[in-house]
Amino acid sequence: MQKNDKIFYTALLGGFFFICLFWAWIIPFNHAPDEGMRFTICQYIFQYGSLPRGDAVEIRNSIWGFSYGFTPILSYMISAVFMKIANFFVGEMGIAISARLVSVLFSTGTAYFTIKIARRIFIEPYAKVLTIAVILLPEFIFISSYINNDALGIFTVVWTIFNMLEAKDKRWSFKSCCWLGISIGVCLLSYYNCYGVIVIAVVYSVIMVFQDNTISNKGKFIVTRIVWVAIFAIVIAGWWFIRNAMLYDGDILGLRASRACGEQYAMDGYKPSQRQTPYNMGESIGHMLIDREWLYYSSRSYIASFDYQTIWMPDVMYIWMGGVYLIGLFGNIIKSKQELFKSSGKRSFYLCMVLMCLITIGLSVYYSFFVDLQAQGRYCLPMCLSLGILVISGWQKIVSHFSKGVQVFLWSMLVIMFEYYALYSSVELILATYW
């Protein structure tokens, strides 16, 4: 890495950390989706030094009748450790901020691996533009600033994609497979809507093995590597699913037990069986997507929506950002005049990025249609890197047809737009909080 690039990326990483820390400081407690419910789990671990059952009265929500303790709580476990440290030094006043610091650090890790991936697959300046497009997305900064599982989940997605590429470049050595297994294991302990990255890691690796003519006995090679990866993933995450099976009569995911808990303890009108989901009401998926405006609100809140989706940016800003994304995606059908992809396996990698986007959106649609109608773009944020890669690669193909001066102008405008959106969102949060 050249000295100027090193300075740029170091400054970008440091700036991102501080903007997330600033947001974590100014956002009022529980003015973010379900932060109060999540914090109760952190408090339980902090107070008792043990993991709660999902139906423990201390963490169970009195309205909805369930808790987030049925699904993986690794992020909250780490928050509890941070709370212990903060309590030792500054007392109770710093406990909530220390719990939020976990999200800040995990998203800074996401930014770090985004830089590594961008520089691995793209030439400059496209690597810089991709990094900025991903980490300065206002909604990503928002989930990096309060107590949640999203920040950890997105980190594991980006980390797994990095390890997937690293394993391919090192021809799936034992060490590279170990790291891939570890990142998948942590992903299993994050958020279920991030599991799509496990699928694409397998698909990409298998395709790359079959395309590698230097590997003989490919079937045995693939099975051996899958076993290596699986062993490390199970070592990292297996304990949680075994615990669930023991506590909830074999329900390793905890989803059935969570629903049963909600049925038993929720207030009337909030029980899972009483939710007015599109499926229960006999509506079609198309009706949910269009008539119930699921696509409209999910796409807008993917860009920026704060508090409990009560703080929005001006409509024109969503139109501009939506246009940037759509133009970039359609740009992929254009033939580029300049090659920007630095490593082999370009088509397979892009296929996996498309697959990651489809799986992530599909899981969000499934949840809204069958479980609980929530048009929240944050559920699609695990695809932020994959979507960013597709968008920036499409823009590269478009701008490659212009002169060098026009290219610099267009890239500069994209960078300025993402920086402006991050700055505007910061000001919006300050005004909403203090005025």
Side-chain angles (χ1 to χ4, degrees), residues 208-430:
M208 289 295 96
V209 168
F210 278 108
Q211 291 182 0
D212 192 334
N213 295 325
T214 66
I215 298 176
S216 58
N217 199 352
K218 298 183 187 298
K220 180 180 178 181
F221 184 91
I222 291 173
V223 171
T224 301
R225 270 57 185 180
I226 289 177
V227 170
W228 290 352
V229 172
I231 287 174
F232 279 87
I234 292 171
V235 167
I236 296 296
W239 66 272
W240 173 262
F241 300 101
I242 294 173
R243 177 180 182 270
N244 272 7
M246 295 174 62
L247 290 178
Y248 312 125
D249 298 325
D251 183 13
I252 62 173
L253 296 180
L255 298 177
R256 188 174 68 250
S258 178
R259 181 180 177 86
C261 185
E263 284 292 335
Q264 182 176 356
Y265 297 108
M267 296 174 59
D268 286 339
Y270 294 90
K271 299 179 185 297
S273 60
Q274 297 172 342
R275 293 176 187 169
Q276 300 299 305
T277 64
Y279 176 77
N280 289 339
M281 297 180 69
E283 298 173 357
S284 66
I285 292 181
H287 183 273
M288 181 190 77
L289 296 178
I290 306 301
D291 297 318
R292 287 214 182 193
E293 299 183 309
W294 187 94
L295 283 175
Y296 175 76
Y297 283 107
S298 290
S299 58
R300 283 166 60 94
S301 57
Y302 178 88
I303 297 169
S305 175
F306 312 127
D307 208 306
Y308 282 81
Q309 288 193 307
T310 57
I311 301 175
W312 300 84
M313 297 192 300
D315 290 344
V316 67
M317 297 183 73
Y318 295 102
I319 295 172
W320 271 104
M321 183 72 83
V324 167
Y325 273 76
L326 290 175
I327 291 171
L329 290 175
F330 283 115
N332 285 287
I333 65 176
I334 300 174
K335 186 174 181 180
S336 178
K337 287 190 174 182
Q338 177 188 10
E339 181 57 55
L340 79 159
F341 200 83
K342 291 171 64 175
S343 72
S344 59
K346 172 182 176 180
R347 290 185 178 179
S348 299
F349 182 77
Y350 278 130
L351 170 65
C352 288
M353 296 301 98
V354 172
L355 183 61
M356 180 65 192
C357 293
L358 293 177
I359 292 175
T360 306
I361 295 172
L363 289 174
S364 184
V365 170
Y366 176 90
Y367 183 82
S368 287
F369 187 73
F370 289 104
V371 182
D372 188 15
L373 180 58
Q374 295 192 40
Q376 297 192 39
R378 64 189 178 92
Y379 292 139
C380 294
L381 280 178
M383 70 177 184
C384 62
L385 175 63
S386 300
L387 183 60
I389 289 171
L390 296 173
V391 169
I392 299 305
S393 68
W395 269 99
Q396 183 275 332
K397 291 183 177 182
I398 293 171
V399 302
S400 67
H401 292 270
F402 296 96
S403 65
K404 193 68 175 179
V406 175
Q407 290 186 34
V408 172
F409 172 78
L410 290 174
W411 287 125
S412 298
M413 289 299 99
L414 283 178
V415 169
I416 290 172
M417 185 192 74
F418 281 105
E419 291 175 342
Y420 173 75
Y421 274 46
L423 177 61
Y424 182 92
S425 300
S426 300
V427 174
E428 187 78 8
L429 280 177
I430 294 173

Side-chain angles (χ1 to χ4, degrees), residues 27-307:
I27 296 173
F29 178 74
N30 203 24
H31 280 252
D34 298 330
E35 185 176 39
M37 285 183 66
R38 301 175 191 280
F39 186 60
T40 57
I41 301 176
C42 305
Q43 285 182 308
Y44 184 99
I45 301 171
F46 168 76
Q47 182 176 353
Y48 298 106
S50 61
L51 304 184
R53 285 178 55 99
D55 55 1
V57 65
E58 293 90 344
I59 66 172
R60 202 172 62 222
N61 183 271
S62 59
I63 297 175
W64 296 98
F66 71 95
S67 78
Y68 287 112
F70 290 99
T71 50
I73 56 174
L74 177 60
S75 182
Y76 313 140
M77 293 165 60
I78 301 173
S79 287
V81 174
F82 278 49
M83 290 163 64
K84 285 282 188 181
I85 297 172
N87 186 59
F88 180 78
F89 288 102
V90 298
E92 293 186 1
M93 69 176 185
I95 285 181
I97 294 296
S98 66
R100 286 179 168 182
L101 184 59
V102 173
S103 295
V104 174
L105 292 175
F106 274 123
S107 288
T108 303
T110 298
Y112 172 78
F113 281 109
T114 298
I115 292 171
K116 301 279 282 187
I117 294 170
R119 287 186 56 81
R120 179 186 290 267
I121 64 175
F122 285 164
I123 62 175
E124 296 291 358
Y126 313 117
K128 291 186 178 72
V129 179
L130 171 62
T131 303
I132 291 172
V134 172
I135 70 174
L136 292 189
L137 183 69
E139 190 69 14
F140 177 64
I141 300 175
F142 181 54
I143 65 98
S144 306
S145 309
Y146 67 92
I147 302 166
N148 57 61
N149 268 347
D150 302 83
L152 169 61
I154 296 169
F155 167 76
T156 64
V157 169
V158 177
W159 187 25
T160 300
I161 292 175
F162 171 80
N163 287 329
M164 175 184 86
L165 293 170
E166 187 81 355
K168 179 257 180 184
D169 288 347
K170 294 185 176 179
R171 299 185 69 250
W172 300 275
S173 65
F174 178 75
K175 182 179 179 181
S176 64
C177 286
C178 290
W179 279 113
L180 180 58
I182 291 171
S183 62
I184 288 176
V186 180
C187 179
L188 289 169
L189 294 176
S190 62
Y191 217 177
Y192 292 154
N193 66 341
C194 297
Y195 284 12
V197 74
I198 302 173
V199 176
I200 72 164
V202 173
V203 170
Y204 179 77
S205 299
V206 169
I207 292 176
M208 289 295 96
V209 168
F210 278 108
Q211 291 182 0
D212 192 334
N213 295 325
T214 66
I215 298 176
S216 58
N217 199 352
K218 298 183 187 298
K220 180 180 178 181
F221 184 91
I222 291 173
V223 171
T224 301
R225 270 57 185 180
I226 289 177
V227 170
W228 290 352
V229 172
I231 287 174
F232 279 87
I234 292 171
V235 167
I236 296 296
W239 66 272
W240 173 262
F241 300 101
I242 294 173
R243 177 180 182 270
N244 272 7
M246 295 174 62
L247 290 178
Y248 312 125
D249 298 325
D251 183 13
I252 62 173
L253 296 180
L255 298 177
R256 188 174 68 250
S258 178
R259 181 180 177 86
C261 185
E263 284 292 335
Q264 182 176 356
Y265 297 108
M267 296 174 59
D268 286 339
Y270 294 90
K271 299 179 185 297
S273 60
Q274 297 172 342
R275 293 176 187 169
Q276 300 299 305
T277 64
Y279 176 77
N280 289 339
M281 297 180 69
E283 298 173 357
S284 66
I285 292 181
H287 183 273
M288 181 190 77
L289 296 178
I290 306 301
D291 297 318
R292 287 214 182 193
E293 299 183 309
W294 187 94
L295 283 175
Y296 175 76
Y297 283 107
S298 290
S299 58
R300 283 166 60 94
S301 57
Y302 178 88
I303 297 169
S305 175
F306 312 127
D307 208 306

